[in-house]
Amino acid sequence: MIYEPSFMAVAVFSAFVAFTLGLSFYFAGKTKSAQSYFAAGGQIHWFVNGVAFAGDYLSAASFLGICGMIAFYGYDGFLYSIGYLAGWVVALFVVAEPLKRLGKFTFADALAAKFNSPGIKLAAGISTLVVSLFYLIPQMVGAGALVRPLLGFGHATGVCLVGAVVVLIVVTAGMVSTTYVQFLKGSLLVVFSTILTVAILNRGLNVPENDPATAESSLIATFAETDKAASKPQTGPYYVAENDLGERQYYRPSKLPDGRDIYLRCQTISLAKDGRKLVNGRRQTRSEKLKLSLLQPGDHFRFEGKPETYVLGKPQSASWEYYNSVGKPAGKVDGDQVVDLLASDLFPVGTVVKLPGEEKSTGPLGPLSFLSTVEQSTMLLWAEDKTKITEADGSVTTVYYPKPTKGTDILMPGNSPTFAGLRQEGFLPKLNFLSLMLALFLGTASLPHILIRYYTVKDQAAARKSTVVGIASIGFFYVLTLYIGLGAMTSGAIDVTNSNMAAPLLAKSISELLFAIISAIAFTTVLGTVAGLIVAASGAIVHDLVTGFFRVELTDHEKVRVGKFGALVVGIIAIVLGIVFEKMNVTFLVGWAFSVAASANMPSLAMLLFWKGTTRQGIIAGILVGMISSLTWVLLSADAYKDVYGLPPDQAIMPFSQPGIVTIPLGFATVILVSLMTRGKATS
Amino acid sequence: MVLHDHAGSDEPLHQPTIDRNARLGRNLFFVYLAFYLGYVLLTSTSPDTMRATAIGGVNVAIVYGFSLILLALVLALVYSWMCRNQAAEEQSK
């Protein structure tokens, strides 16, 4: 879909950036020591830290990805919400206190505390860098994906803009400014998600009538309309109707519950052999006033102040032929004449087909009655046909087709392609789900940018209290994701090609101001998380690698300087990766980052805390084996084949995508085995 | 405007306190783990249970999911409260 950049969104976002940069420069004068640069001097109030946890943790993937997944498939997105939150239980009950007690700056500090080993610092430092960079990719790609529809810049511009702002925030005042950016972002996110949810409940559920979007998108494509389609030979599972103007429309045959045949109108994006891109059979245009010579053949237009619609033909010397809506020549016109070019685009979707008791509108609903009404209704969901259709003229078409889906299926796990295995027989299809749930559970407490936040408060009690605040705000937000996602599903405003835009488009369907604010928050979401990751990575460079492993003696001041330089380098790498990986799907990259973090860090951390027999070598081996095995698995999985290398996914070596269920136990086994083997040496 | 935390530490680093907090954390962790495992296993093995209506016309899948989020918060509050009580006890000794 073509998005009109919102001036208000740009204004709100600019105001936020100006404010955070102002804050960063204000704190810059006060953050001279390494302690204040890397850990905010351990002086952050527990409440601020707790909300900053939420700001740090609720990344673009959480906000946009989960809401989008729920809007497209229902309950399955909520599985991520549950897994992401469960991880905090591990962080609080198992990791928080020892980490706070044993370490000072980085996660490696705590691991190496018992042995004072440069080897552990090296392994943990590398793992911090790998996990941070892995986690940075989806954040930066997300920034670029957002910036185009919301602010109207290109992908690379968006990535550079976000990268530059974040690097400035981090280099000026390190963890102090990062904390306040995250505090601000966390608060805004929770407050405005609540407002959005209240608006959704207040609007209730409605079956649209005579709405132009539904008239076009609804399944009630009349028989008169589809007779023509049905008389043609099928292309794949579709009937393709071509009108007098040569525009193709796809229909998918389906049956009504009473047994009647119907033809569901689909949406298409076709790439012609000559490189032209057609959307629903026409060139994609926005509505604007233009000189006729700037239009292209096939464009629909009106003469100023006239109601009739015409289609432009080919130019002949200085004049252009044009046709009426049934393809009959209607006249010639001079190329200099200004006309109204009509919009031609994918139409927005997301509608309720049937409410319980054949009602047309529910009116305002409560939190429980909203869910139970969804469960008893039927929605029109849309899916992308993964098999592309090659037509006779060589053009390749991607089809998005509507699927009337019962609420009982929407509010059950297993409706999305990601978790479709849950509705299949046997154990193997379910492994991907089990593996992901394990990785999410153990991953949170292994994410370096989350762990370093424990060093910004003064003691264990403050660490505990801030985690409780974090769990409260994050948990509350995740409950809201279900309402926001289902609200988007029924908003009539969704773009079938871009699930990440579901939440902002939902806001737009409520009010333009809310859209501007939600879009601006989506950006600051990226800023907050990226800043946290860059601080974590630069801390690892200084404390784990430079002073920890290479034993370079640095003064306090030099540590800050090296840290700032590290932040700059990591920032530049993040920008480059964000541009290179533009096409990658953001959500599963995050799942992978969790898997790598959980496989590399959790086994060593847990064994160190719970088993006295753990040795230095066991920890190093555990980190390296967990990290390398999970990375290798991810890179050889079907998803990587499909989305990274463009190879057929069935050639992939690994049987499923999420490595956690194999590589996390492997990490534990390595720590135990190597510790047992090296135990004698350690005691002697 | 800056909310910094300057109050003195309310919790001495006593080994018995450390051990007791760790034990408490571990127990609560296992309580949550049991509920989480139950959810994951039900989701993957018994869709009919998840589909059944629980409260107010809402199915088990949603009620269980919301409960897991609520349980995390409740256990976190219990942990925080019990650790504080132990710390106070230690100090009064």
Side-chain angles (χ1 to χ4, degrees), chain A residues 512-569:
Chain A
E512 197 65 37
L513 178 66
L514 201 54
F515 169 71
I517 295 172
I518 292 286
S519 309
I521 291 176
F523 270 106
T524 57
T525 298
V526 179
L527 292 186
T529 306
V530 170
L533 286 163
I534 292 182
V535 172
S538 81
I541 292 173
V542 174
H543 295 109
D544 303 340
L545 302 184
V546 176
T547 59
F549 181 72
F550 293 108
R551 306 261 170 177
V552 180
E553 293 287 336
L554 291 180
T555 64
D556 208 53
H557 189 61
E558 284 168 339
K559 278 185 187 170
V560 176
R561 264 223 312 256
V562 176
K564 288 183 177 182
F565 181 70
L568 184 67
V569 173

Side-chain angles (χ1 to χ4, degrees), chain A residues 5 34 53 81 129 172 197 220 245 273 287 332 340 362 366 431 466 494 530 570 583 586 619 630:
Chain A
F53 263 135
S81 295
L129 283 176
T172 43
T197 304
I220 321 298
L245 300 163
K273 265 199 150 168
S287 107
K332 286 187 181 178
D340 293 323
T362 60
L431 269 181
S466 62
I494 295 185
V530 170
V570 174
K583 297 280 172 235
V586 171
I619 291 178
S630 55

Side-chain angles (χ1 to χ4, degrees), chain A residues 23 26-27 40 42-46 48 75 78-79 82-83 85-86 89-90 92-94 97 101 180 368 371-372 375-376 408-409 411-413 422-423 430 433-434 437-438 440-441 458-462 464-465 468 471-472 475-476 478-479 482-483 610, chain B residues 1-11 13 15 18 21-22 24-26 28-29 32-33 36 39-41 43-48 50-53 55-62 64-66 68-70 72-73 75-77 79-80 83-84 87:
Chain A
L23 203 67
Y26 167 76
F27 285 124
Q43 295 294 309
I44 298 289
H45 188 275
W46 56 266
V48 174
Y75 194 88
F78 194 54
L79 290 171
I82 289 167
L85 185 81
V89 171
V90 185
L92 173 62
F93 295 153
V94 183
E97 294 212 19
R101 196 173 61 242
Y180 285 100
L368 275 186
L371 295 173
S372 67
E375 211 173 323
Q376 298 163 54
T408 40
D409 278 326
L411 293 185
M412 273 285 293
L422 286 172
R423 293 189 184 172
K430 288 163 183 143
F433 163 75
L434 295 173
M437 292 312 269
L438 179 69
L440 296 185
F441 191 51
K458 68 181 166 69
D459 57 18
Q460 281 98 318
R464 278 196 303 268
K465 281 190 273 186
V468 174
I471 289 179
F476 180 61
Y478 280 143
V479 169
L482 189 63
Y483 291 95
F610 294 120
Chain B
M1 63 152 292
V2 184
L3 275 171
H4 276 171
D5 210 347
H6 286 296
S9 173
D10 61 350
E11 203 171 318
L13 284 177
Q15 194 57 41
I18 292 171
N21 286 355
L24 177 64
R26 205 152 45 209
L28 292 174
F29 166 75
Y32 191 84
L33 180 66
Y36 186 75
Y39 174 82
V40 171
L41 291 179
T43 304
S44 50
T45 57
S46 180
D48 288 339
M50 296 303 258
R51 200 184 287 274
T53 304
I55 306 164
V58 179
N59 69 15
V60 175
I62 286 179
Y64 204 151
F66 279 179
L68 274 176
I69 292 177
L70 191 68
L73 180 61
L75 293 183
L77 284 169
Y79 177 65
S80 199
C83 286
R84 203 189 54 195

